[in-house]
Amino acid sequence: MVAWQIDFRLDTKIKKPSQLEFFNTVNEFYWLSLYVAKGIKRAEILYVRDMYENYFMPMLYKMIAIYIGCKNGFNVSVGKSYKYFADYLS
C-alpha cells in the first residue's frame, strides 16, 4: 500500500468513554445549552455566539461521536473535524 492509499480514519478512532466521562459530557452539554438559552433571552448576541461556537458545538460533536461509537462498537472513526458524521448518521 502506498502512502496516499492509507486510510486516515484510523487516526481519529472514537474512544469508549468511562461512565464518569460520559456523565460529565452529558452534564456539561445540558449546562451549556442553558447558558446559550439565557444569552438569547437577554439578547447578548456576542456572548451567545461565543458560548455556541466555542463550547456548545464541540460538546455536541463529542456526544454525537459517542453515539456513533455506541452504534458501531467503537470500531469507527468520524474523521478530522468530524467529516465522516454523515457516513454514520441516517
Side-chain angles (χ1 to χ4, degrees):
M1 180 179 282
V2 291
W4 60 85
Q5 292 176 330
I6 295 173
D7 187 3
F8 291 103
R9 293 183 185 203
L10 300 175
D11 296 337
T12 55
K13 190 172 177 183
I14 302 169
K15 295 176 183 71
K16 184 176 182 180
S18 67
Q19 186 175 4
L20 180 61
E21 184 181 2
F22 178 74
F23 173 79
N24 288 339
T25 300
V26 173
N27 186 50
E28 185 70 12
F29 175 77
Y30 283 121
W31 276 106
L32 290 170
S33 66
L34 293 176
Y35 295 153
V36 171
K38 284 181 190 179
I40 292 170
K41 173 73 174 145
R42 296 174 182 161
E44 298 172 345
I45 302 305
L46 295 176
Y47 172 78
V48 170
R49 184 173 177 192
D50 178 53
M51 291 301 294
Y52 182 78
E53 291 177 356
N54 297 318
Y55 301 99
F56 181 80
M57 288 307 293
M59 197 59 61
L60 177 62
Y61 292 154
K62 185 175 181 181
M63 288 182 52
I64 293 171
I66 292 171
Y67 171 79
I68 291 169
C70 287
K71 291 291 184 183
N72 295 285
F74 291 96
N75 197 23
V76 296
S77 170
V78 291
K80 183 178 178 182
S81 299
Y82 306 102
K83 65 182 172 183
Y84 300 125
F85 265 7
D87 296 346
Y88 299 109
L89 297 174
S90 56

